[in-house]
Structure formats: structure tokens, C-alpha cells
Amino acid sequence: MKLIIFITISAIIVLFSSIFNARKAALPLTLMALLIGLGMVFQYNCQCDGSFYRSIVDEATYRNMISFTRFSALFSGVMLVASILIITLSANSIKPIFDHYRSDIYGLMLFSLCGAFILVSYQHLVMLFLGIEILSIPLYILAGSRKNELASNEAAFKYFLMGSFTTGVLLFGIALIYGATGSFDLNALMTYCHVGQISTMFKVGMIMVLAGMSFKIGLVPFHFWSPDVYSGSPSVVTAFMATVVKTSVFGATYILFSKVFGVNSGWTDTLAVIAAATMFVGNLTATQQSGFKRMMAYSSIAHAGYLLIAMVSPDLASGKAVILYMAAYSLATIGAFAVMMAVRRCTGSDDINNFNGLGKSNPVLATALTIAMMSLAGIPLTAGFISKYYLFTIGWSGYSTLIILAIINSAISVYYYFKPVIAMWFKPSTSDIEIKTDTSLNIVLWVCVIGIIAVGVYPDLILAFAD
Amino acid sequence: MESLILFIPLLPLIGFAINGILGKNLSKTIVGIIGSGSVLGAFILSVFAFFQVLDAGSFQAVAFKWLEIGSLKVDVGFQIDQLSAMMMMIITGIGFLIHIYSIGYMHEDAGFYKFFAYLNLFIFSMLLLVMGNNYILLFFGWEGVGLCSYLLIGFWYQNAEFGKAARKAFIMNRIGDLGLLLGIFFIFQTFGSVSFNEVFTAASGTGGTVITIICVLLFIGAMGKSAQIPLYTWLPDAMAGPTPVSALIHAATMVTAGIYLVCRSSVLFAASPEASQFIMYIGLFTALFAATIGLKQNDIKKVLAYSTVSQLGFMFVSLGVGAYSTAMFHVTTHAFFKALLFLGSGSVIHAMGGEQDIRKMGGLKKSLPITHITFLIGTLAIAGIPPLSGFISKDEILAKVYYGTGSLPFILLCITAVLTATYMFRLYFLTFLGDFRGTHDQKHHLHESPKTMTIPLIILAILSVIGGFLGTPEWMNHILGTEHILDKYLSLLHNKGIIHPSEIFEYVVLFVSIIVVAIIWFTVKSFYISKKQLPENDEDEKGFAKLLSKKYYIDEIYNTLFVKPIEAISEFTHNFIDKMLVDGGVNLFGSGVKEGGKTLRWLQSGKLEYYIMGMVVGLLLILVFNFIK
């Protein structure tokens, strides 16, 4: 709770910095706020002991609205690290004509982050709804933050329209659940699901809530927005959506479904089918993409599909698997985006052909992207492999067919993840534009690469926090 | 001491790392110092370990836990006892001499640093092999030395023939390795452990078919590494490598790994008379067989190679009759004189500018005095002149066989010993005596080798002379008041009853040996020197001699029996199974993915109304399917 309050205040300060003509302070202020936030999360995690899902603050203090547990702390930690990397990445990547709005962009990101924190710590369905809105509304604006670019406007508009549509579905679902149980409180819902017969009204509500959440995560068939929005939005925002937003909504869904409703209340079959469809749609369509950002959009859809394995697994350690997986996925995705941004800035487009010959002209960038891609594809010695391995092992006790499908999909994914790798190392350069990087981008790259390999070799780096 | 033990294998590994990574930019002197120095360090520590064992008995040093899979627990741990300490001394001691020798021998080679890196890696692997306290670590070292052997045989890989020889060695060894690996699996299945201590404790006093199977499988591994019939053909070809390699790996150390394996597992072998019998006959047959081939070889190193195969056969015979410490004794003396002979031949080849055919040598006595004397000592030692080391250890084997199994193996072994003397004297006379038969250029070029090469020769010659006193026979003990040091030292081996040959037997053997060897000496000398006979060209040989010079056509037989059918099968699997089934399957999957992707891409039209419709239809479908039941 302190974290949410602190980040909200920071957001307001950052937003106001432009009024006081201190726009230059926006970046350091934001980074500082995030680092302090990370410190708070770390300290909180150290204080906690025992159960994964118990808050050290009495839940009644916040009227049973918020319960900040170790689970929340770990998710928040992953999101904070991702945000820090993305904001560092943005230091030089915001175009000069938009520099005027820098403080607005950071402020909105911090607000969105507050929503994300609420989503991994809510104790009440109203808080879930509020969290989703606090998360989404800044995002609608961020997606369109390149005011005079048509693609950016289109992305914002599409995202907003479809987002409000699904918000309606979500709210309807929450209303039905309230109608069936008479309560918004998660503890009451848990008792309802584990004790008595589940009514039809509750079940319909559950499915509608699932549909609303699926939209935010980008699960088939609610994924249509994501390729368009991902490719239209500014890259920094896309990276934020692909990592932080996905992590938080996934956390929220995990809390509500796996923890509160439980795997025996009849939603797992549906989700297993959605998981299989999501993996296949994401991976198969990704093979056909020629733009890097669009490819990454489908890749993020596919990874959400893999993650559902943890949701439908009855194994109690599945929460840990989700955290490890999200951390690995975020590191690799941000690393890949960093390289893509360097290429795009210098060549003007993110077409995979623009990566040709990068292995010769800038081997550092090429190596970093190769490692990120290997991690996403799940090649051993990277974080992607170990997290996938952990996830699949835990999922085996649930839907084992799903694991087999996921493994087939991992094989398919190698095809498109290695497209840029092949372009970089084996194809001759098509133009003589030099791809340059800057310090902040290099820092992000190194952190991602070292993180990927360190976690890949020694996954306890992350798992240790969850024990 | 226990922590210092870790440095024994670690030092050569560090040497390997430095020379392998940085060697290209270092001067040859520094590369040589690092390479030799690391082995010298290991030798000094091995000497300490040796005395530690002598004082306080064997001990273990565990570096770290390696793997733990189910009930399989493997440590990287070292067992330092009499057996391993002795092997460590041989490996690092002779290894060091050969490193020094290589500084001179390889000086002109562009791959100098690579050579030293490989040699150091070899020493490291070999040390792991003999120091490990479990079968898995032994296997690790076993594979490591196999790899180094492969790399060093093919060291001059520009020559395609040498590359093939390296591959042959590797494949032959792999066949043996399979046996060893299966043996280890059986051990684990039977005893539930792979650590020497636990296995041997569990195995002592047992017997039966399982033990025999284990022993035979382990011995198949030994067959590959120690070049016994039927897996011996790689060793003569392995002479393609630089001569120091032949001396170190293919004479003194690696090929004795098989002997070490059997000695280490002597508990198991002692419990299986059938397996022991099998080993004895294989060894006996190999010894005789290789010795006959040796009679008709004209390549100086090939003669020595067949001689090595034959001598290894001697050692296995000794193992087969349960005289494990005797086999180790012969390992030691053989390491001395065979390394000496190989290094001597290297010195000759060096002087002859790369020539290896003894028909083109002769009369090298004058130009290479030190090489000549030391080579002569080596020859006399292997031929069995008392009291040189070769005589004493071979004599002990003969005695053990005579009392252990009976007369037929004994007689065959005696014939082998006679053949050994014959081909060695032939080699010596053709190389060093008579007139020079090479070209004028070669004659002009003849020179004694540099000190880095001759000093190791001298040291090894001294060892070849006195090495036998490690295991003096009874009659000598009587006269000199000495004792059989090695038997006492190696008491941990499960020798089959200590046999004391009667003194009459020993004296008979002694005098008969002297007389027979003298007769051979003069016969061979009159044939090649007085009558100036030269070996015929391979094509002109007839009858049995041709069969010998063609090495019984074993390579050709293997080719027809194994290589060609396997190639045919590979051709079939390549064309049918791989290209059609596997590739076809993969391509089918690939095009399926592509088509699927194209179809799904079409769904992503970019129009908002379709998207929302898609979502609504999806939601409705989910609801319908959930309530249809």
C-alpha cells in the first residue's frame, strides 16, 4: 500500500515538473521513484515469512480492499525492474518534437504502474475494476502519444474502443458474480467456490470476467487489438504493454482464478482450450510477419498462451513458475526491443531485412539480440529455457496434452525467432547505414543479457525470493 | 596434503588453458616452460603423495560433489593409494621428460603451442583416470585421454592419411568404451554405487555370472584402450602422430590404462576365474600375433608399435593368471624402455629429416652416439638381457604363468620373447650398424639431437637399466640381500596366492635366456650385417613372410566385414530414412505451419468491426460450450 501511495505521489510530481519548467528533471525523478519503489518491495519481501499469500499488514486496515502479499511484492518487483529498464531505454529514444511531453509520458506511465500494483494486490472486485481502469486509461493516451502520426492515433483509438467494450463485459461479469454471491470480497468468493454448489449465474459471470481479463492479456479470441496497437504505438509504450501490463493483468487473473475460484470450479477446460488456441494463433501468425514489432506482438500472444499452463495447473508452486517466467520473458523482450529501437532509429523502419549484416557492422547489438531471441525461443542456458522448463514441469500434473502442444509450439517459435538472427549473421548488409547506440541503450542491453544468462544458469537468483 | 592433491591434475589443466588460449602470442620458450613446468609441478606433488602413502597408507580427497541423480551419487574425489600413486609417478615423471624432449623435437613446428596444450590436457585427463575414486571419474579421464590421443595422432592433419589414422583410433576406442560404459552400468545396477570403495566392499567374496559379465565388459574397454585383439589395429596406425606422442601416449601411459582398470578392479577379476582365463588367452594370443607382425615391418615406429601391442599382451597374460602386481611391474619397466626406444627413434627420425624406413638408414652409430647407446640399452632391456629391467619383469611374468596355468601358455610366451628379441635386434642392426643407405643430402644432414632431446634419453636409459630392481627375483634377493619392493608395496591388489618359483627354475630361465638371446644376437647380426641382407620390398615378399608384412590382412578383413556393410547401411538410412522420412516429415510440418500462418494472418484484417465481432462470437462460443453439457 505504501508503494502505491508513493508511486502515485511521484507520478503527480513528475507530471507537475513541466509546469515548473523542470522538464529535464522528469527522467531522473521517475527513475529515482522507481528505484526507491524497488527498494521498498525488496524490504517488504525480506520482512515477509511463511505463506505466499498472506499480507503482513492486517487486511482490515484497508477495509479488506487491498492485501499486499509476497506474491504481490514479487510481481511488483518484476514490473518495477521492467519499468526501470524501459524508462532508461526511453532516455534518448523520445523524438525531439515530443520531448515537450516527456514529463507527461513518464507521469502517465507511473500512474499506469499504480494500476498495475493494485491489480496484483486487490482484495475486492471493485479494486480489480479500478486497477484495470487506472492501468488502462493512461495506456490509451500513451498509445497515441505521437499526436501527429496516423498509426499512433489509430492504435490509441482502436485500443480505447475495444478496451471500453471489454470493460463493459468485465463489469457485467463482476455484477453477475455479485448477484450470485452477494459479495465483492475475495475471501467470501473463495468460501463460496469451495463450499457450495456453483450457480449458473456465477459461472456466466466468471466467464465474462475471464473474457475481460483475456482482452488485456491478449488471449485468443480477444487478441485482435494487440498486433495493431503494438505496431502503432511508440516502441517504449509497446515494450511497457508487452511486459508490465501483461505481467500485472496476468497476476490479477492468477489471483482471481487459480487462487480464489480454484482449479475445481469448472473454468480450467475453457482456459486450456484458450491456451492451446493462443499458442497456435500467436506462433503461426508470427511466422508470417516481416515487421519486428508485429512479430513481437504475436510472440507476446504466444507467451501468454504458455503462461496459462500455470493457471490451469493444480500445483501450488505454479505462482512461482509464473513469476520466473514473467521475469525471463520481460528481460528478453525488453532486450529485443532495445536492439529493434536502435535499428529503427537509424534505418527508419523495423523491417527484419533492416537487421541484415548487423552481425558484422555491430556485433555487440547482434549478440545481445541473439541471446534475447534464444531466451524467447527457450534454448538452454538462457532464462527462457529454465523458466519454460520449470513451467512445463509444474504444468505436467494438470493438462499434460497442453504441455505437448506447448512444446510443439516452442519448436515452431524457433522459426521466427531465428529470422532476425539469420538476417544478422548470415545475410549481407543491404545498406551502409551505420547502426549506432547510446549509453542508456547499452546499459539496458547489458542488464538484459547478463540477467538472461545469470537466471538461465542459476534460476535461484529469482526463485530464492519466492522461497 | 589433501588440498594439495587437487593441484596434481589442476596444474596441467592450467597449463592447457594458458597455452591453449594465449599460446599463439607467447614465445616458444615460454610455451615450453609453462607446458613442462606444470607437469614438473604435478610430478613433485606426486612424489609427495607417494611418500605420504608410503608413510600413512592410502587416503581420499574429495574436491566437490559432482552429480546426484536418484541413488547415483558421484563426487569429484581422488583416491590416492599405492596403485594410483605409482601410476601418477609414471605419468607425470615420464610425461615431464617427454615434454622436455618435445621442446627440441617440435621446435620447428608451427603448431608448437597447440602441441603443448594438447599434451597438458592429456596429462590432466590421464591423472583423472588414475586418481578418480569412482568409475564415472575414471570414465571421464578415459574419454579425455581418448580425445587427446585423437587430437595428437591427427596433429599433422594436413596429411589426409594421418587424419584417417586419428579417426580409426577414435572409433576403435569408442567400441571399447561402449564395453566399459556397459560394465559401469552393470556395476551400478549390481552394487548400487560407482565408487570404488563401496563397490569393492560389496563385491569381495562374491562371484557368479554377473561378476563375469562385468569383468568381460570392463575388459572390452581395456581391449580398446590397450590395443588387444581384436581392437588393436589402431595402435600401429597411431604412429602417424609426432614421436613424443607415440612415446607418451601410445607406449608409456595411455595404453596401460587398460591394465590399470583391471588392476583397480582386481577384486572383481579375482572373483571371476572365467573372465581371468579369457583375459589370459586374449593377451597371450595378442602377444604372439603382434610379435610375428613385428618381424616384417620396415617402419622404425611401426616395429615399436607392434612391439608395444605385444608387450601389452604380456601384461594381460599376467593379469589373467592373477599376478596383478607383476603386470604393474611390467607396466613400469615397459614405460621406461619403450618411452626410451620411441624417443630414440624420434631422435633418429629427426636426424634423418623425417625418414622412417629402416632400409634407408644404417650406420647411424657414428653420427648419433648418445642416441645409439641409449637405444641399444633400450633394445637389450626389451630383448631380456639380465639384469636390465625388461628381463626381470618379463621373467617374473613367465614364472607366474608357468606356475599359474601350465606349460602351453608358458611355451607360447617363451616363443614370443624369442621373437621380441629377434625383431628388436633386426631393428637395431638395420638402423645403427652397417653402411649408410640414405641419400647424400641425408648423410650430410646427420647430426646428434639437441640436449633437450638427449637428456631425457639418458635419464630413461638409466631407468631402463635399474628399473628392474623394483622387483628383484628370489635368486637375486639371495645374492644381494634385496627384496621384492613392488610386491610388498602393491599388497592392496588381490594377487592370486604368492608363488615362489623354485631356484632351479629361476636359474634355468636365467641361463637359457642369456644363451638364447646371445644366439639370436649373433644370428641376426650375421644375417643383416655380415651378409648385408636387406628386407625385401613388401611386394616381393612371398608366402608366410608376405602374410606377415601385410599384417595378416586384418585391416582388409575388418574393412570387408564391418566397414563396408556399415557404410551400406548408412547409405540406406541417409537416402531413405533421413532424406525421405525425416526431412519429408519436417518439411511437411513446416509447410503446414506456413499455410496455417497465412490463413490466420488473413483474420487480422485491421477493421475494428470485425475484431469486435470476432470477440463477441468467441465469447458466445465459450458460453455455449460451457453450458451445452
Side-chain angles (χ1 to χ4, degrees):
Chain A
M1 192 65 201
K2 276 184 221 147
L3 178 70
I4 298 169
I5 296 167
F6 172 73
I7 294 290
T8 314
I9 293 170
S10 315
I12 295 168
I13 293 171
V14 169
L15 201 59
F16 281 173
S17 66
S18 68
I19 297 178
F20 301 111
N21 234 347
R23 214 164 290 126
K24 285 213 176 91
L27 177 70
L29 273 179
T30 315
L31 280 180
M32 214 163 67
L34 291 173
L35 283 171
I36 294 172
L38 191 62
M40 289 164 74
V41 167
F42 190 74
Q43 187 229 2
Y44 186 87
N45 193 50
C46 291
Q47 282 175 3
C48 289
D49 51 343
S51 170
F52 212 51
Y53 297 111
R54 193 157 357 113
S55 168
I56 49 169
V57 183
D58 184 16
E59 282 164 5
T61 318
Y62 305 115
R63 314 260 163 204
N64 290 327
M65 285 294 193
I66 289 272
S67 162
F68 202 83
T69 60
R70 281 185 71 197
F71 180 84
S72 327
L74 288 165
F75 265 83
S76 309
V78 171
M79 292 189 289
L80 278 165
V81 171
S83 307
I84 291 169
L85 291 173
I86 290 168
I87 301 257
T88 315
L89 200 54
S90 76
N92 294 313
S93 73
I94 294 179
K95 283 188 183 169
I97 46 165
F98 298 113
D99 203 39
H100 190 66
Y101 310 108
R102 189 183 280 271
S103 54
D104 304 352
I105 292 173
Y106 293 152
L108 287 170
M109 273 191 178
L110 288 180
F111 277 129
S112 188
L113 202 54
C114 285
F117 293 148
I118 294 173
L119 279 179
V120 291
S121 57
Y122 66 97
Q123 181 65 24
H124 198 270
L125 287 184
V126 169
M127 288 311 285
L128 167 69
F129 178 71
L130 276 179
I132 287 224
E133 288 307 292
I134 297 172
L135 175 82
S136 303
I137 293 170
L139 279 179
Y140 300 147
I141 307 166
L142 282 170
S145 60
R146 285 196 176 150
K147 289 195 221 177
N148 36 14
E149 273 182 26
L150 207 57
S152 184
N153 290 341
E154 187 193 326
F157 189 63
K158 271 186 180 162
Y159 194 23
F160 174 63
L161 270 185
M162 294 167 82
S164 28
F165 177 77
T166 42
T167 304
V169 175
L170 176 74
L171 214 46
F172 194 11
I174 292 178
L176 287 176
I177 288 176
Y178 182 75
T181 62
S183 171
F184 285 124
D185 186 70
L186 293 197
N187 289 329
L189 293 183
M190 202 192 289
T191 324
Y192 176 84
C193 286
H194 290 271
V195 175
Q197 186 75 28
I198 292 167
S199 68
T200 311
M201 191 200 270
F202 184 86
K203 212 170 173 191
V204 175
M206 203 159 66
I207 288 168
M208 292 186 92
V209 170
L210 186 65
M213 304 294 245
S214 300
F215 172 82
K216 290 288 168 198
I217 307 176
L219 299 176
V220 173
F222 310 100
H223 69 290
F224 293 106
W225 62 277
S226 62
D228 293 8
V229 174
Y230 275 30
S231 56
S233 309
S235 298
V236 175
V237 178
T238 310
F240 189 77
M241 287 198 272
T243 55
V244 176
V245 176
K246 204 159 266 215
T247 310
S248 67
V249 185
F250 204 90
T253 319
Y254 185 86
I255 292 175
L256 191 58
F257 282 82
S258 298
K259 201 190 110 202
V260 175
F261 295 160
V263 285
N264 297 321
S265 40
W267 50 270
T268 49
D269 288 343
T270 310
L271 209 61
V273 174
I274 289 182
T278 307
M279 287 179 221
F280 274 106
V281 169
N283 281 317
L284 290 178
T285 323
T287 60
Q288 297 299 309
Q289 305 304 321
S290 58
F292 190 85
K293 244 164 121 179
R294 254 186 120 73
M295 187 187 94
M296 290 304 289
Y298 285 107
S299 140
S300 81
I301 293 174
H303 281 282
Y306 300 139
L307 267 167
L308 292 184
I309 291 172
M311 296 259 302
V312 297
S313 159
D315 195 315
L316 288 175
S318 59
K320 277 187 215 171
V322 173
I323 287 161
L324 183 65
Y325 199 93
M326 280 322 299
Y329 162 80
S330 300
L331 280 175
T333 302
I334 293 171
F337 266 88
V339 177
M340 184 274 287
M341 281 158 73
V343 171
R344 189 189 162 113
R345 200 187 313 157
C346 298
T347 62
S349 113
D350 65 333
D351 196 281
I352 291 174
N353 287 334
N354 287 346
F355 288 81
N356 286 358
L358 196 64
K360 281 222 177 66
S361 59
N362 196 334
V364 177
L365 271 188
T367 310
L369 184 58
T370 307
I371 290 170
M373 286 295 160
M374 277 165 67
S375 183
L376 286 171
I379 309 280
L381 287 187
T382 60
F385 168 76
I386 204 78
S387 59
K388 229 175 223 172
Y389 176 77
Y390 197 66
L391 183 71
F392 291 176
T393 328
I394 278 173
W396 191 252
S397 52
Y399 289 77
S400 40
T401 330
L402 205 52
I403 310 289
I404 294 164
L405 291 179
I407 290 169
I408 293 174
N409 270 285
S410 297
I412 297 176
S413 73
V414 174
Y415 173 78
Y416 63 85
Y417 284 132
F418 275 49
K419 261 187 180 173
V421 175
I422 290 167
M424 288 189 302
W425 297 105
F426 300 114
K427 288 190 181 162
S429 183
T430 39
S431 67
D432 30 73
I433 304 168
E434 204 188 334
I435 312 282
K436 276 183 252 161
T437 56
D438 54 66
T439 328
S440 59
L441 197 135
N442 279 336
I443 293 172
V444 173
L445 269 188
W446 281 112
V447 171
C448 290
V449 166
I450 293 170
I452 288 169
I453 292 174
V455 175
V457 177
Y458 194 66
D460 276 3
L461 277 180
I462 290 181
L463 288 176
F465 289 114
D467 278 333
Chain B
M1 191 64 218
E2 260 126 76
S3 52
L4 279 179
I5 288 297
L6 306 183
F7 281 93
I8 297 179
L10 212 55
L11 280 174
L13 185 66
I14 294 169
F16 159 71
I18 296 175
N19 277 341
I21 297 166
L22 307 171
K24 214 171 186 174
N25 308 318
L26 298 176
S27 77
K28 286 188 176 169
T29 324
I30 294 177
V31 169
I33 289 173
I34 292 172
S36 318
S38 61
V39 181
L40 179 64
F43 176 63
I44 293 169
L45 289 173
S46 299
V47 172
F48 280 124
F50 180 83
F51 282 109
Q52 174 91 1
V53 171
L54 215 52
D55 282 351
S58 61
F59 60 99
Q60 304 244 347
V62 176
F64 55 89
K65 228 183 226 149
W66 189 14
L67 3 133
E68 201 169 333
I69 306 163
S71 60
L72 175 67
K73 291 184 183 66
V74 184
D75 290 338
V76 173
F78 302 120
Q79 172 156 347
I80 313 299
D81 56 12
Q82 286 81 352
L83 182 60
S84 48
M86 190 171 152
M87 287 298 285
M88 281 151 63
M89 296 265 281
I90 297 175
I91 294 160
T92 52
I94 295 186
F96 170 64
L97 291 177
I98 290 173
H99 271 73
I100 295 287
Y101 178 92
S102 306
I103 296 177
Y105 191 82
M106 297 299 287
H107 202 262
E108 304 305 317
D109 202 283
F112 190 77
Y113 75 95
K114 227 185 327 177
F115 185 79
F116 274 90
Y118 291 163
L119 274 193
N120 275 0
L121 183 63
F122 168 77
I123 300 275
F124 163 72
S125 313
M126 192 70 206
L127 285 171
L128 277 193
L129 197 166
V130 298
M131 289 169 71
N133 71 355
N134 58 66
Y135 278 103
I136 302 291
L137 205 57
L138 179 142
F139 186 73
F140 185 88
W142 190 273
E143 291 298 303
V145 293
L147 170 72
C148 295
S149 155
Y150 166 78
L151 291 171
L152 285 163
I153 295 171
F155 187 72
W156 288 313
Y157 54 87
Q158 291 89 343
N159 183 327
E161 282 301 312
F162 293 3
K164 274 186 194 159
R167 224 179 324 160
K168 186 173 174 182
F170 198 67
I171 293 168
M172 283 290 197
N173 268 298
R174 297 297 305 170
I175 298 172
D177 294 350
L178 181 66
L180 174 59
L181 205 53
L182 287 175
I184 295 174
F185 292 163
F186 263 96
I187 287 175
F188 181 63
Q189 201 200 16
T190 316
F191 303 110
S193 169
V194 288
S195 108
F196 290 147
N197 275 345
E198 288 171 28
V199 171
F200 299 152
T201 317
S204 62
T206 56
T209 329
V210 186
I211 304 281
T212 303
I213 292 173
I214 290 173
C215 288
V216 170
L217 286 170
L218 292 182
F219 177 57
I220 290 173
M223 267 180 194
K225 197 75 40 197
S226 299
Q228 295 298 292
I229 288 174
L231 299 177
Y232 74 97
T233 55
W234 65 272
L235 186 59
D237 286 18
M239 297 302 131
T243 308
V245 173
S246 312
L248 176 63
I249 300 185
H250 305 122
T253 53
M254 184 186 86
V255 288
T256 60
I259 320 287
Y260 168 78
L261 175 66
V262 177
C263 283
R264 177 55 83 200
S265 319
S266 59
V267 181
L268 300 173
F269 283 90
S272 170
E274 297 85 3
S276 297
Q277 192 89 0
F278 178 62
I279 292 175
M280 196 209 67
Y281 279 108
I282 291 279
L284 183 62
F285 198 51
T286 309
L288 186 60
F289 189 76
T292 56
I293 299 178
L295 287 174
K296 277 290 170 191
Q297 298 302 310
N298 295 320
D299 181 319
I300 184 168
K301 282 175 74 182
K302 285 262 161 87
V303 178
L304 293 176
Y306 279 105
S307 154
T308 306
V309 175
S310 174
Q311 296 298 312
L312 289 167
F314 267 93
M315 299 171 204
F316 277 106
V317 171
S318 169
L319 295 174
V321 297
Y324 302 104
S325 56
T326 309
M328 284 309 294
F329 183 28
H330 200 53
V331 165
T332 316
T333 58
H334 178 255
F336 294 152
F337 60 70
K338 195 45 79 56
L340 168 64
L341 288 169
F342 265 114
L343 294 185
S345 78
S347 177
V348 168
I349 296 166
H350 193 68
M352 294 288 294
E355 181 59 63
Q356 301 195 7
D357 192 333
I358 48 174
R359 284 169 300 193
K360 296 184 181 143
M361 297 177 182
L364 299 180
K365 187 177 165 184
K366 274 171 251 122
S367 345
L368 302 167
I370 300 175
T371 309
H372 165 248
I373 291 292
T374 50
F375 197 91
L376 178 62
I377 292 172
T379 309
L380 295 177
I382 188 174
I385 297 282
L388 301 184
S389 59
F391 168 78
I392 299 178
S393 57
K394 212 184 282 181
D395 174 56
E396 193 176 314
I397 294 179
L398 286 172
K400 294 276 159 83
V401 171
Y402 183 77
Y403 284 97
T405 45
S407 43
L408 183 68
F410 175 73
I411 292 167
L412 289 178
L413 219 50
C414 287
I415 295 173
T416 311
V418 169
L419 293 176
T420 310
T422 315
Y423 65 70
M424 282 313 299
F425 288 154
R426 170 177 174 273
L427 180 68
Y428 166 74
F429 289 130
L430 284 171
T431 311
F432 288 98
L433 300 185
D435 303 321
F436 187 68
R437 297 179 295 272
T439 62
H440 184 72
D441 276 355
Q442 282 174 331
K443 185 163 188 168
H444 195 69
H445 179 255
L446 286 179
H447 61 277
E448 182 56 277
S449 302
K451 282 219 172 59
T452 48
M453 289 168 69
T454 50
I455 291 174
L457 285 178
I458 295 168
I459 297 174
L460 284 169
I462 295 169
L463 288 172
S464 300
V465 174
I466 60 167
F469 292 96
L470 284 172
T472 44
E474 298 270 313
W475 61 269
M476 230 185 233
N477 292 346
H478 262 252
I479 300 168
L480 301 173
T482 49
E483 58 176 350
H484 199 300
I485 303 167
L486 215 59
D487 258 356
K488 214 173 143 194
Y489 180 66
L490 285 175
S491 54
L492 80 159
L493 298 176
H494 288 67
N495 285 325
K496 197 170 137 190
I498 295 169
I499 307 149
H500 293 286
S502 66
E503 291 210 1
I504 300 172
F505 174 83
E506 296 211 330
Y507 282 116
V508 169
V509 172
L510 177 66
F511 289 113
V512 169
S513 315
I514 296 175
I515 295 163
V516 169
V517 172
I519 294 172
I520 299 170
W521 171 272
F522 289 110
T523 324
V524 176
K525 187 171 182 182
S526 78
F527 189 76
Y528 287 110
I529 303 300
S530 317
K531 295 187 192 159
K532 300 208 171 176
Q533 290 271 6
L534 269 188
E536 313 232 4
N537 285 331
D538 293 350
E539 290 71 31
D540 303 334
E541 299 275 11
K542 289 195 181 56
F544 189 61
K546 179 163 186 175
L547 193 61
L548 288 185
S549 78
K550 291 287 181 195
K551 307 151 199 165
Y552 296 101
Y553 294 98
I554 294 293
D555 278 328
E556 287 77 3
I557 293 170
Y558 281 2
N559 229 0
T560 332
L561 276 185
F562 302 109
V563 180
K564 292 222 169 103
I566 287 176
E567 275 181 350
I569 294 171
S570 313
E571 196 68 16
F572 168 76
T573 49
H574 172 70
N575 285 333
F576 181 72
I577 295 183
D578 187 57
K579 276 197 174 164
M580 281 179 65
L581 295 184
V582 177
D583 283 5
V586 170
N587 286 338
L588 199 70
F589 182 68
S591 51
V593 167
K594 265 195 168 164
E595 291 307 312
K598 274 183 194 156
T599 319
L600 288 169
R601 190 185 182 186
W602 172 80
L603 279 177
Q604 194 77 29
S605 61
K607 292 207 172 74
L608 206 54
E609 53 270 36
Y610 288 138
Y611 289 178
I612 292 189
M613 199 175 80
M615 282 160 56
V616 172
V617 170
L619 181 57
L620 286 177
L621 280 178
I622 293 172
L623 284 171
V624 168
F625 277 115
N626 265 291
F627 293 101
I628 212 164
K629 301 175 239 180

